[in-house]
Amino acid sequence: MLAQRLTSWSVTCLAMLALAAPSYADEYRVSVTRDDTNLYRITGKDILIQTWGCFEFAFGEDALLRMSGRSGSIVFLDQGQKCQVSAVYGKTRVPAGTYSVTLSRESQDWYSVLGMEMRIKTLACYEYWFAESLTLKVDSDGSAILYKKDGGYEFVEGFYGPLNL
């Protein structure tokens, strides 16, 4: 009797899990341009799409962005290529001040801030930083510079935080 109840309960739970299985909650038709390796910018927006192993060279290409939470896929409509999306990032502001940050390179000009869900987009930075400690100075107008230990510096284009679509 107990085994029969457990089996019945297991079937009910499996049915509920199947109904709750992840599906793409939202679809967005967008125009994208490749900004960098595995990084695409939505035309006319301060939104960047980070992909995995995506080699599509897009310039104003129509695409379908399918998202469920913070991950999903992007389908480039002209070529039909589909790529996995690891995250979508929107531009965010960082309060003026001087900060100690640890950065790791994700791709050219695109760095993750360790310990935070933030990315920094630089202007023509070719550094292969991995857990590199830097000083970040953000001015009241939002402009920012990363200062290296050797006295050099890199300009910041913007700060980006994950979007939950």
Side-chain angles (χ1 to χ4, degrees), residues 25-88:
D26 294 303
E27 290 188 352
Y28 306 90
R29 188 165 181 135
V30 294
S31 174
V32 296
T33 297
R34 186 175 183 188
D35 216 48
D36 201 349
T37 305
N38 286 312
L39 198 61
Y40 296 85
R41 185 179 301 270
I42 295 178
T43 304
K45 307 273 185 202
D46 279 329
I47 297 175
L48 296 171
I49 301 166
Q50 187 172 10
T51 60
W52 288 100
C54 193
F55 302 104
E56 183 72 20
F57 288 98
F59 184 79
E61 185 173 335
D62 288 332
L64 187 60
L65 178 62
R66 295 178 175 148
M67 297 298 296
S68 179
R70 291 191 182 177
S71 63
S73 65
I74 186 168
V75 178
F76 297 93
L77 298 177
D78 290 347
Q79 302 298 321
Q81 178 168 340
K82 180 179 177 180
C83 295
Q84 288 302 115
V85 172
S86 58
V88 177

Side-chain angles (χ1 to χ4, degrees), residues 110-129:
W110 187 243
Y111 297 88
S112 61
V113 180
L114 297 183
M116 299 179 71
E117 288 192 274
M118 184 189 300
R119 301 295 186 267
I120 294 178
K121 182 87 168 89
T122 63
L123 293 171
C125 181
Y126 300 103
E127 299 284 347
Y128 284 90
W129 292 324

